[in-house]
Amino acid sequence: MARFQYVILSRAAPGREDEFVAWYRDRHLADVCRMPGVVGGKLYRMDFQRVYELDAAPQWTLMTIYELEGDDPAAIIDTIRAASGTESMPATDALTKAGMIQAAGHLIATAGDG
């Protein structure tokens, strides 16, 4: 089976950053990692971003990188999305989806130490 990296750039609703980070760190990351096809995940606080040639780009605050394993990353992501907001994967309204980015890809080259 192939391995994919699934990257999400997200941000909190205005004034709800601490609540959003706590939910993501303490609940959501583990919930997603229990899903079939999800090997692991890491949550990062954004320290730098630059968006080229896009007016009024969102200022994302968190970057999540999940490692997926399967034949089709879209099918795994669809399963995650279907579970979102259920008892097994409670959602939060501290997240704003406006401007959120989700992307998945597979490794085609590497250099350096990692």
Side-chain angles (χ1 to χ4, degrees):
M1 283 194 203
R3 291 261 175 141
F4 301 90
Q5 300 301 309
Y6 174 37
V7 179
I8 301 162
L9 301 180
S10 58
R11 62 192 172 125
R16 301 186 65 189
E17 177 72 19
D18 290 342
E19 178 185 352
F20 176 58
V21 170
W23 166 80
Y24 218 127
R25 178 193 60 225
D26 300 337
R27 176 70 198 238
H28 188 66
L29 190 66
D31 287 346
V32 173
C33 287
R34 282 192 288 274
M35 298 296 296
V38 180
V39 177
K42 295 179 180 179
L43 179 63
Y44 299 87
R45 185 175 302 277
M46 297 286 288
D47 295 317
F48 173 81
Q49 66 182 343
R50 180 176 294 141
V51 179
Y52 293 92
E53 298 183 30
L54 181 63
D55 294 334
Q59 292 298 301
W60 299 283
T61 56
L62 296 180
M63 176 176 63
T64 313
I65 302 175
Y66 294 103
E67 186 168 357
L68 308 179
E69 184 175 72
D71 296 325
D72 178 12
I76 298 168
I77 294 165
D78 286 346
T79 300
I80 295 166
R81 289 186 61 197
S84 181
T86 67
E87 188 175 309
S88 64
M89 191 183 294
T92 180
D93 59 358
L95 161 70
T96 179
K97 290 189 176 180
M100 187 169 75
I101 293 178
Q102 298 180 346
H106 65 277
L107 182 67
I108 61 170
T110 188
D113 290 336

